[in-house]
Amino acid sequence: MGQLVTALDGTVVEANEALASMMGASRPEELVGFQPWRLLLREYVDQLAELTHELITGGVDHFEFEPRVRRLDGELRWFHVTATLIREPDGTPRSFLALVQDTTERRTAEERLSHLANIVESTSDLVGSADLRTGRLIYLNRAARELFGVGEKEVPRVHLLRIYTRDALHVWEHEIAPHLRAGRSWTGELPMRTAEGRVIQVLQTVTGEVDPDGTPVRSWSVGRDITERKLREEQLAHRALHDELTGLPNRALLLDRLEQALARSRRSGDPVAVLFLDLDRFKNVNDEYGHAAGDDLLAAVAHRLRSVVRPSDTVARLGGDEFVVVCEAVDETKALDLAQRLLATLEDEPFRVARNRLRVTASIGVATAVDPTSTHPEALLRDADAAMYRAKDLGRARIERFDDELRRKTLRRTKLADDLRSAVERGEIVPYYQPIVDIRSGEITGVEALARWQHPTRGLLTPGEFMEVAEETGLIVGLGVSILTRACDQLRRWQVEFGSRALKVHVNLSARQLAHRSLPTLVETAAENALVEPELLCLEITESVIMEDAERSVEVCHSLKRLGVELAVDDFGTGYSSLAYLKRLPVDVLKIDKAFVEDLTPDSRDSSVAMAIISLAHTLGLRCVAEGVENVEQLTALRGLECDEAQGFLIARPLPAEQLTPLLGKPLF
């Protein structure tokens, strides 16, 4: 402990080694004659003056003072000073005696504890301590007191049962206590009860103190209310696995449940049935009443389907108007009975949608996994899908089962899809070109590039034999790019050879191509790479594809038109497009579907339809091309109707480029 004696003006008369060390001096003599009060921080000088005055005047016989001091070496320290007055025999004040302790470490620790206490009190986390021998609380911070409705003075009287549920106390006994006995902390979720009686989930970390016998006697815990977070997580998890519109399981959850059903089937030997249901003509509901009405109908359909199946069955929505039911321990006969009940519940009572009574039918495909050991969930779902499509093909509103014939057909389609994928990669899909001629002069004004598959074993295949599979599998996008690229390259070669810019090349676009975001870029790149002007390209889109999503089609067509290409509506007359949409489309050509050309004579009804289409095209300032011209009578009738151009077997069949080249520049009739 430091000691010093000072004169009444504060000048050091005597000091010991300990004080010299505290003050940052090498020896006590350095302090003699120095006034230590000059080392006090400014805010303590007046306080010291008052204390010494009271001591001298006899107001106190000693005083204690704890100032902050800047030592001789400049370091700031806390000193605790106890001072008394030394008097002469006659009572006259002579000097001061001071005992000094360095309290810096204690003050720092106290400040740190005070700071931590403030943090604990102000944090939104729940902090508490409990006496595990009595089961009563020792401490709760402000956030915990407010949440659990406990007053600060009431804390020691509160039992753990007031804030923890019995389930939580079970966890305390069987999980937390063993951790504390082993000297470890525990982290996990505990249900707790708020002041209003609401049960919340709290993520807590608990540490403890044990007695010499290893029995936990005190605990400290820090927790956070995660009830809302868990609810959001559960909602997100539900959305990830369920259809938002109907609340039914989506494809991901369906496949998971189907896989589990097949696993149980392998153990039990019971069959698993899948019913694939698609509403008939659902698009008409959206078109006539709007998408909101369509959504209402889908939700109502989901409700009816759930009302028919067993609680153990899964009803899922794959998207659009497609629903799937998975049934365990159900053979084909029972599955067909269930399918019949599903049809009945949809058809027996009309649905009320958009203030209208709508009668709904569906097509259902049924597939059964009689040998679950060799059945994959995706394969079983695909089988039921194939059966449903057969129901569609056979007239809708019916049930079809997946049988051996359909299995063979599916295997053929799967094999065809695999072969087609390889064919696209190997460049086996090539363009053949069919001339389009001026109906008056017979001169070739353009050619339509038509895909042909040079199959290594089956020979030359037409689009009807593979295009549907290409569309279903998405291969149509790559296939279409290949045909477009080859057609542009061939157009460039014809330009070099003939020096003509009049010839146009027509290329068909499928629904998938039209929906592809980068379609305009693909078209522009193909033209640029071949060094041909976009104006020499005419992209053909069937009327039915346009009307699948008319608004989107208008947008895409305008994007393509900005490139400079021509646009044609193919198979016009079969897609039921409205004049309003046709006026909005930036098209240049209408192509009359061959169905209106087949029986074309001057007196036939088809003549009236063809005449109406031709008149509409000319009114809108468009060229009109007749497809499927196969005889002179048809050609003559089209001339009489003032159609602009024609193509068909009468003029020329689709030909490879090398066979078509000699015909260019010559009238074909």
Side-chain angles (χ1 to χ4, degrees), residues 492 495 526-533:
R492 179 60 181 170
Q495 282 186 291
E528 287 181 353
N529 290 344
L531 301 177
V532 298
E533 296 297 326

Side-chain angles (χ1 to χ4, degrees), residues 63 332 397 578 597:
F63 70 79
E332 186 178 86
S578 70
V597 176

Side-chain angles (χ1 to χ4, degrees), residues 251-423:
R251 184 185 186 90
L253 183 54
L254 168 70
L255 290 173
D256 179 70
R257 291 190 179 176
L258 183 52
E259 187 169 9
Q260 294 178 33
L262 290 171
R264 286 188 288 269
S265 177
R266 294 182 192 106
R267 295 190 294 269
S268 66
D270 294 329
V272 175
V274 173
L275 288 69
F276 201 115
L277 181 149
D278 185 274
L279 302 184
D280 296 328
R281 299 182 178 87
F282 176 72
K283 182 178 180 296
N284 294 349
V285 177
N286 282 336
D287 291 344
E288 187 170 350
Y289 302 105
H291 288 279
D295 288 348
D296 290 344
L297 176 60
L298 291 172
V301 167
H303 178 73
R304 285 201 194 176
L305 296 180
R306 279 196 298 255
S307 70
V308 174
V309 302
R310 303 171 302 179
S312 59
D313 297 334
T314 294
V315 180
R317 180 186 176 216
L318 293 192
D321 58 341
E322 294 180 338
F323 297 85
V324 173
V325 180
V326 175
C327 309
E328 296 185 52
V330 169
D331 59 21
E332 186 178 86
T333 300
K334 291 180 180 177
L336 292 171
D337 289 342
L338 173 59
Q340 193 61 55
R341 293 199 302 275
L342 292 174
L343 282 187
T345 194
L346 296 180
E347 297 176 4
D348 287 352
E349 181 68 26
F351 289 85
R352 291 189 174 276
V353 175
R355 300 181 180 179
N356 293 280
R357 291 166 58 85
L358 301 181
R359 291 203 169 271
V360 173
T361 63
S363 301
I364 301 180
V366 176
T368 308
V370 292
D371 181 14
T373 58
S374 61
T375 303
H376 189 272
E378 287 276 10
L380 187 58
L381 188 62
R382 190 165 54 244
D383 292 348
D385 186 29
M388 182 275 293
Y389 271 106
R390 183 162 69 178
K392 290 278 189 188
D393 293 340
L394 294 177
R396 299 184 176 90
R398 59 184 292 141
I399 302 163
E400 287 293 322
R401 63 186 183 88
F402 188 81
D403 55 17
D404 289 339
E405 178 188 349
L406 198 51
R407 179 173 284 104
R408 288 190 293 271
K409 181 179 178 182
T410 301
L411 288 174
R412 286 196 301 270
R413 287 179 71 85
T414 302
K415 178 66 167 59
L416 181 64
D418 292 340
D419 290 348
L420 182 58
R421 188 172 287 104
S422 299

Side-chain angles (χ1 to χ4, degrees), residues 214-241:
T215 303
V217 295
R218 179 176 293 187
S219 68
W220 294 270
S221 62
V222 178
R224 178 168 296 179
D225 183 357
I226 59 170
T227 308
E228 292 299 323
R229 191 188 79 187
K230 285 183 67 67
L231 179 60
R232 287 194 299 271
E233 289 173 351
E234 290 170 1
Q235 290 172 341
L236 288 173
H238 186 273
R239 289 176 186 172
L241 296 173

